[in-house]
Amino acid sequence: MPDDIFGDPVPQELRPSRKRQLSDKEQRTQPQRIADCLDEPLIYEMAEHLPAPASRGCPRQYPAVVYLLLAALMTVTGSKRSAVGTLDDKQWRAVRASIRRNAGRTAAALLPLTAPSRFQYQYAELKLLAPSIDLLQDLFEQHAVQQALRQGLFPENATRNWVRPERRQLLVGDATVPKAPSKAEHSFTVDTTTGEMRRHRVDPAARLYYENGEKEKRPARGTKWFFASARDDGYWRRVILAVRHVAGGDYEDEAAVAVRSFSHLSSLLPGCMGVIYDGAFRGVHRDALARRGLLVINRQHGSVKPRAYELLRFGRCRHDLWCDQGRIAERVLLDDGTSTLIPVPISRLEHRQGRTKSRWYHLLLIPCRHGAHAYRVQVAITTTPNDRIGTDPATGRRLKSDAERDFHRAEHLQQIPESTLTHQQLYPYRSDSESVHNQLDQSMWNNRMISYGLERQKVFLLGFALAQNATSRRVSLERSGALQVVGTGRKPA
C-alpha cells in the first residue's frame, strides 16, 4: 500500500530487534543512587512543607528531611532495615554534609551524631509522612513536570508531526499490582489439626486484581498503582510524572484513573502530543483524550468486529466502506462469491483544534478504475447530539450523530491504526512502563510491598518516584556537562 501515509506493517519475523544491552556508562551503582537522593532539591523543599514539631509530647529527634531521605533511600536499598543500616558513620557524615549544602548549617547542626533507627522511621512514617501524603504528592507532581521540561521533554516549539511523533513528545502509562506484604487474607485462622487459633497480620489495603488482559487473566493480590512517565533515548533519563492508586478491580477503573491523569498532565505540558497505553483503553477513553487534542496509541480490543460504515456512490462507481482493524476498508467481492476487506490508503491525518475540543480526520484516497476518490472520514471521537453536526447536502437536513445511530466511532476508528508501520514503531515505547514496574519490584524486599496500609504505601511509592527522578536529574546534569561525574571529581569528556 505505497500511498498510505502510515506505511505498510512489517511481518513479525522481519522486524529488527529493538533490545540492547546497557553499557557500563549507563549503569548506576547503589552508592551513586544514594548520592543522587541526598542531592535532590525536592526532598528539602518537601521537608519545609511538613508540620513543625509539636510543643507537647515526645520531641522529634530528627528533622523532617531525614525521614524523607530515608523514604527515598529504602527504595534504593530494598528495605527499611537496609536503608537504616546503610547510614553508617561515613554515610551519615555524607548526609550531614548534604543537609548543610541544601538546608543550611543550622539544620545540619541540629542533627544527632548517629542515624535514626528503623523504629524511629516507622513512627515518623505513621505520624508525620502518611498524614501529609496528599500535600507531598502534589508537590512531587508539580516538580516532576518542571523537571521534564528542563530535561528537554515535551518541547513547546518543536515540530509536531502527527504521523511521526518523537518519543520525548509522548506520555507512557500503565498500572501494576505489587504483591501484598503478607499472604494472609484473614486475621485469624484455625488449625484443622489442633484447633489452635492463629493470628496473622493482614494488609487492609490489599484486594484481588487481574492482570495480563481479559483473555489471560492472572490473579494478583495487593494494591494497584498507575504510573505516568516520559523519557528520551537515555535509559536513566526517565521522569516519573504521576503515581496514582487504582481502587477498583476492573480495567475500566484503571483506564479512568489513567485518563484523568493524562488529561491533567497534558494541560501542564504544552509540547505533549499524545499517550501510549495498552488494551485497557477502549473507545470511550480514546474519545476523551482525542477531544483534548491528544494522539492515543494503543492496540485495538479483540472484541471489536468489522462493521459496515457507508456506501459511497461516485457517478458510475460505488464503494462499500467498512470499519476494520481501526481504519476504513473497502469490501470487495471475489470471483468465488465471497468478499474480503481491503484497507483504504490514508493520505493524511488531519487535526483541527476547536475552542472546546479537537477533531481528527483521515483523508482517504479510495482506489477506483475511474480514478481515485478523495474522501474525509472523522476518527477517534464519537459524536453526540451536543456536538456540532453537519447537514446532508442533498436534503439540507441535520445529520444524525454517532450516538443517535448507535455507532461507536472511537471504538472502531483509531487515529493511528494498529496494522501500520507507524504503530509498530511507536507502540513499543509502552515497554518503558514495564521498565518502571521492574524497577519497583527490585526496590522491594522479596518483591513484596514493605508497608501496611494505603497511606503508608503511598509514602513508599512517593519515595520510589523521588529516587528515580533524582537519578534522572543527576544523569541529565552529568550528560549536559553542568555537573561533575559522581566519584571522579572531573567533568565528563
Side-chain angles (χ1 to χ4, degrees):
M1 199 182 304
D3 296 330
D4 193 272
I5 192 172
F6 296 115
D8 294 335
V10 179
Q12 181 69 34
E13 60 275 9
L14 298 179
R15 298 180 190 176
S17 177
R18 305 180 70 168
K19 295 183 179 180
R20 67 180 181 88
Q21 189 71 24
L22 293 179
S23 62
D24 292 339
K25 64 180 181 180
E26 293 175 308
Q27 303 292 343
R28 206 71 178 171
T29 64
Q30 186 178 103
Q32 286 177 318
R33 297 207 59 206
I34 291 176
D36 299 339
C37 296
L38 295 182
D39 289 332
E40 173 57 41
L42 178 58
I43 294 180
Y44 300 91
E45 181 181 344
M46 285 181 171
E48 296 177 358
H49 290 81
L50 290 175
S55 57
R56 297 180 179 180
C58 181
R60 188 186 301 171
Q61 297 184 3
Y62 294 85
V65 65
V66 174
Y67 301 119
L68 282 172
L69 285 171
L70 280 174
L73 293 181
M74 69 181 181
T75 65
V76 176
T77 61
S79 68
K80 300 173 184 177
R81 188 185 302 274
S82 60
V84 173
T86 303
L87 299 181
D88 53 12
D89 292 341
K90 180 180 179 180
Q91 192 65 59
W92 184 242
R93 287 196 297 270
V95 172
R96 296 171 63 93
S98 178
I99 293 178
R100 184 166 55 250
R101 288 194 304 270
N102 293 274
R105 293 182 177 273
T106 302
L110 297 176
L111 290 174
L113 298 178
T114 57
S117 64
R118 184 169 67 98
F119 174 78
Q120 288 173 316
Y121 170 75
Q122 289 178 325
Y123 185 82
E125 181 185 57
L126 178 64
K127 298 296 184 179
L128 176 64
L129 301 182
S132 305
I133 188 60
D134 293 335
L135 172 62
L136 297 178
Q137 283 185 331
D138 291 340
L139 291 173
F140 168 79
E141 293 187 9
Q142 295 173 14
H143 187 275
V145 168
Q146 298 302 319
Q147 178 179 346
L149 296 176
R150 286 194 301 268
Q151 293 182 195
L153 303 178
F154 309 105
E156 184 176 4
N157 299 324
T159 302
R160 292 195 173 194
N161 186 346
W162 295 110
V163 180
R164 299 288 190 275
E166 301 179 37
R167 184 173 196 161
R168 59 176 180 167
Q169 296 174 317
L170 299 173
L171 286 167
V172 177
D174 199 7
T176 184
V177 184
K179 295 180 182 179
S182 170
K183 294 182 179 179
E185 300 183 16
H186 304 283
S187 300
F188 293 93
T189 59
V190 180
D191 191 327
T192 57
T193 303
T194 63
E196 177 186 2
M197 294 288 293
R198 295 183 176 179
R199 185 174 182 177
H200 306 278
R201 189 176 183 185
V202 180
D203 180 18
R207 60 162 298 164
L208 187 64
Y209 294 90
Y210 290 95
E211 295 184 309
N212 290 357
E214 296 181 353
K215 290 185 178 180
E216 302 177 0
K217 288 185 177 181
R218 180 175 61 86
R221 187 175 182 276
T223 47
K224 196 170 196 176
W225 302 94
F226 163 79
F227 289 88
S229 62
R231 74 174 176 95
D232 54 13
D233 294 333
Y235 176 75
W236 273 112
R237 299 178 68 179
R238 177 197 305 116
V239 179
I240 297 178
L241 296 166
V243 182
R244 305 286 174 85
H245 175 244
V246 181
D250 297 329
Y251 286 106
E252 290 79 4
D253 300 315
E254 172 192 334
V257 172
V259 168
R260 289 195 296 268
S261 180
F262 286 144
S263 300
H264 175 67
L265 289 173
S266 64
S267 63
L268 304 176
L269 300 167
C272 179
M273 292 182 61
V275 303
I276 305 177
Y277 212 76
D278 58 13
F281 268 8
R282 299 296 299 267
V284 64
H285 310 115
R286 293 201 291 255
D287 180 283
L289 295 174
R291 288 175 181 267
R292 299 186 64 90
L294 296 175
L295 286 172
V296 182
I297 303 164
N298 77 317
R299 288 183 175 176
Q300 190 76 331
H301 200 271
S303 63
V304 179
K305 304 299 181 182
R307 168 172 175 153
Y309 179 73
E310 190 176 4
L311 181 62
L312 295 181
R313 298 181 183 271
F314 296 102
R316 295 172 295 173
C317 60
R318 49 174 281 175
H319 300 274
D320 189 8
L321 302 184
W322 284 59
C323 300
D324 182 40
Q325 298 182 11
R327 62 186 301 166
I328 293 294
E330 184 176 4
R331 181 172 175 265
V332 178
L333 298 177
L334 304 178
D335 295 339
D336 58 0
T338 61
S339 63
T340 185
L341 296 177
I342 300 179
V344 176
I346 303 171
S347 62
R348 187 178 179 184
L349 172 63
E350 294 184 354
H351 172 230
R352 299 182 181 179
Q353 182 67 49
R355 293 183 178 178
T356 57
K357 70 179 182 68
S358 294
R359 292 175 179 268
W360 298 86
Y361 297 91
H362 281 173
L363 184 59
L364 307 178
L365 200 62
I366 305 175
C368 181
R369 57 192 177 94
H370 300 293
H373 307 289
Y375 190 67
R376 182 178 284 104
V377 173
Q378 188 172 358
V379 298
I381 294 177
T382 303
T383 58
T384 64
N386 296 328
D387 294 327
R388 181 172 59 86
I389 309 298
T391 57
D392 189 345
T395 62
R397 295 181 179 178
R398 175 185 174 275
L399 297 174
K400 290 185 177 180
S401 65
D402 295 332
E404 291 172 319
R405 59 193 187 101
D406 195 24
F407 175 55
H408 203 332
R409 186 182 300 268
E411 186 78 17
H412 288 275
L413 297 177
Q414 298 174 282
Q415 296 154 305
I416 299 180
E418 180 178 349
S419 57
T420 60
L421 179 61
T422 298
H423 192 279
Q424 287 183 353
Q425 294 173 341
L426 296 179
Y427 187 74
Y429 293 159
R430 195 200 70 83
S431 61
D432 192 54
S433 60
E434 301 297 338
S435 178
V436 176
H437 300 165
N438 183 45
Q439 289 286 336
L440 177 62
D441 292 337
Q442 293 180 7
S443 67
M444 298 182 294
W445 176 257
N446 202 21
N447 290 340
R448 286 188 174 274
M449 185 65 69
I450 60 176
S451 296
Y452 285 82
L454 181 60
E455 300 304 319
R456 298 178 70 177
Q457 290 178 11
K458 286 183 178 180
V459 174
F460 174 82
L461 268 296
L462 176 65
F464 168 76
L466 279 171
Q468 292 286 317
N469 286 3
T471 298
S472 175
R473 170 184 170 273
R474 186 81 176 213
V475 171
S476 179
L477 291 175
E478 289 175 0
R479 292 190 177 184
S480 65
L483 190 70
Q484 291 183 342
V485 180
V486 177
T488 63
R490 58 179 176 83
K491 290 189 175 181

